[in-house]
Amino acid sequence: MHTLTFFLLFSLTTICSTQKTTIQTFKTPSVLDMTIQVVLSGDVQKSWLSGNNSQIVPTETQKNTCYAVATMNDFDCGEDYAIFLGTDLLTRHKHLSGAVINVDEAKWDRVVDLQGTPHNHAFTSPHQPITTTCQVSVQRDATSATGVSAEVSSGVKDLRLLKTTQSGFDGFIVDKYTNLQPTSPSSTRMFSTEMTASWTYTSKPIGGYSVAKSKIIQLLISKFAGPAPNGIFSKSLQETVYKMATTALKHYPTMHTIQLITPNIHFYRWDAESFGLKNPNIVFQSTKPDSTASGRIETVVTRRSITAKL
């Protein structure tokens, strides 16, 4: 396994019409900030059994292959890049049977000036930007014209989501060890998670992987929040996440399976009254899911025939 981080500039061609109906074409650089992980499999046992390294593709060679493939191919997302990379590795190294490639993309936004004009070469990114992901498994396939086939999944990880109201949780099992109070409806319950989502395709989506990934993330966020301005009441994290997953499946027929991992992040109303103060539900104490008892909800929805089921 080899992990490589690299920064790539690529050009997009923009066509714009003027009032004289002439067409101007110009190129502006965009950014793909990718971390690549490569796992190769195949006939490589000699190195383990006898110390014969004749079957090993060194990690330095894998690194240089990553850079070389990036310079020789046109792509605008990690999914297409990973297909190029896996195809190259299997085409040149016949003893390998497969390559699983994981790509994390850190988001960079183009600077826009005060007049709303996008900058040609200036970008911003927060210290912890939204990270989109993909995993591409390239395997040998005698039935394919290229000799290989690829299974593609895309996703996003650690996307922080928060609703300050319009959520509750009640009707759960109560036994002798239960001290959790029902909160439905409640103005004091905040609903928050750090969502990691991934989904697989049966074929390349219309518009390409990059466009689909952006739209699917927007769909998930929109369904989490509900229609503006007031949103929709959430009976539980489970209910909301299931609606998010089925919405994505409904809008993308080439999506086969979607997985959402959503740990509960609790915000507790701070007890100001014990200090003789008032807290009209505006100050809350946050907790980390790994430091307190909290649920880690994993939801997998798979398309079967026409109906998606949990």
Side-chain angles (χ1 to χ4, degrees):
M1 182 174 67
H2 182 64
T3 302
L4 168 71
T5 301
F6 70 94
F7 197 82
L8 175 71
L9 285 175
F10 69 101
S11 293
L12 293 178
T13 300
T14 305
I15 301 176
C16 37
S17 298
T18 67
Q19 292 180 346
K20 297 180 180 179
T21 68
T22 57
I23 296 178
Q24 296 178 341
T25 303
F26 58 95
K27 291 185 176 181
T28 56
S30 293
V31 173
L32 271 178
D33 187 354
M34 302 190 295
T35 300
I36 317 297
Q37 183 185 84
V38 179
V39 180
L40 302 176
S41 58
D43 186 14
V44 294
Q45 67 271 20
K46 288 182 181 179
S47 182
W48 278 263
L49 298 178
S50 62
N52 182 338
N53 296 322
S54 60
Q55 299 168 325
I56 299 299
V57 181
T59 54
E60 190 70 12
T61 302
Q62 295 181 46
K63 180 199 74 174
N64 291 330
T65 302
C66 289
Y67 288 124
V69 168
T71 62
M72 294 187 298
N73 295 280
D74 293 326
F75 55 91
D76 64 355
C77 62
E79 289 86 347
D80 286 327
Y81 167 79
I83 293 173
F84 284 128
L85 177 59
T87 300
D88 177 89
L89 287 165
L90 266 61
T91 300
R92 294 189 300 107
H93 301 285
K94 303 299 183 184
H95 68 293
L96 297 178
S97 60
V100 176
I101 300 160
N102 289 278
V103 182
D104 288 355
E105 296 179 41
K107 182 176 175 57
W108 286 80
D109 295 314
R110 189 179 302 279
V111 171
V112 178
D113 69 14
L114 296 177
Q115 288 71 42
T117 303
H119 202 284
N120 282 344
H121 59 267
F123 300 85
T124 63
S125 180
H127 179 63
Q128 292 182 324
I130 293 176
T131 301
T132 58
T133 64
C134 73
Q135 182 179 85
V136 176
S137 177
V138 182
Q139 304 293 328
R140 296 202 180 278
D141 184 354
T143 65
S144 170
T146 61
V148 299
S149 61
E151 181 179 295
V152 178
S153 67
S154 303
V156 62
K157 68 179 183 181
D158 299 333
L159 178 61
R160 301 182 71 185
L161 300 171
L162 172 67
K163 292 178 66 169
T164 59
T165 187
Q166 283 279 57
S167 71
F169 187 63
D170 67 357
F172 46 82
I173 294 173
V174 176
D175 67 13
K176 62 182 180 179
Y177 297 120
T178 302
N179 60 3
L180 180 66
Q181 298 300 310
T183 55
S184 181
S186 173
S187 60
T188 64
R189 186 177 192 266
M190 298 176 68
F191 178 14
S192 181
T193 186
E194 289 185 0
M195 179 183 71
T196 294
S198 62
W199 50 88
T200 59
Y201 298 102
T202 55
S203 60
K204 190 171 184 176
I206 296 174
Y209 295 111
S210 181
V211 171
K213 184 157 52 181
S214 295
K215 289 185 176 180
I216 290 167
I217 293 172
Q218 291 173 358
L219 281 171
L220 295 174
I221 294 173
S222 178
K223 200 65 180 178
F224 168 84
N230 296 322
I232 190 171
F233 185 79
S234 170
K235 298 176 183 177
S236 67
L237 186 152
Q238 291 88 331
E239 179 210 28
T240 298
V241 169
Y242 181 69
K243 289 180 177 179
M244 292 162 66
T246 53
T247 298
L249 281 166
K250 178 180 178 181
H251 281 78
Y252 278 87
T254 62
M255 182 188 293
H256 177 259
T257 300
I258 181 168
Q259 179 186 44
L260 303 179
I261 301 174
T262 48
N264 259 319
I265 298 177
H266 297 299
F267 288 82
Y268 297 106
R269 180 184 176 278
W270 181 63
D271 182 17
E273 288 72 17
S274 62
F275 297 94
L277 303 173
K278 293 183 179 180
N279 180 11
N281 299 329
I282 58 173
V283 178
F284 292 81
Q285 179 181 358
S286 63
T287 63
K288 292 284 188 179
D290 56 357
S291 63
T292 60
S294 62
R296 184 177 186 268
I297 313 302
E298 297 190 20
T299 305
V300 180
V301 184
T302 300
R303 188 188 306 279
R304 291 196 179 100
S305 297
I306 300 176
T307 306
K309 298 180 179 180
L310 182 64

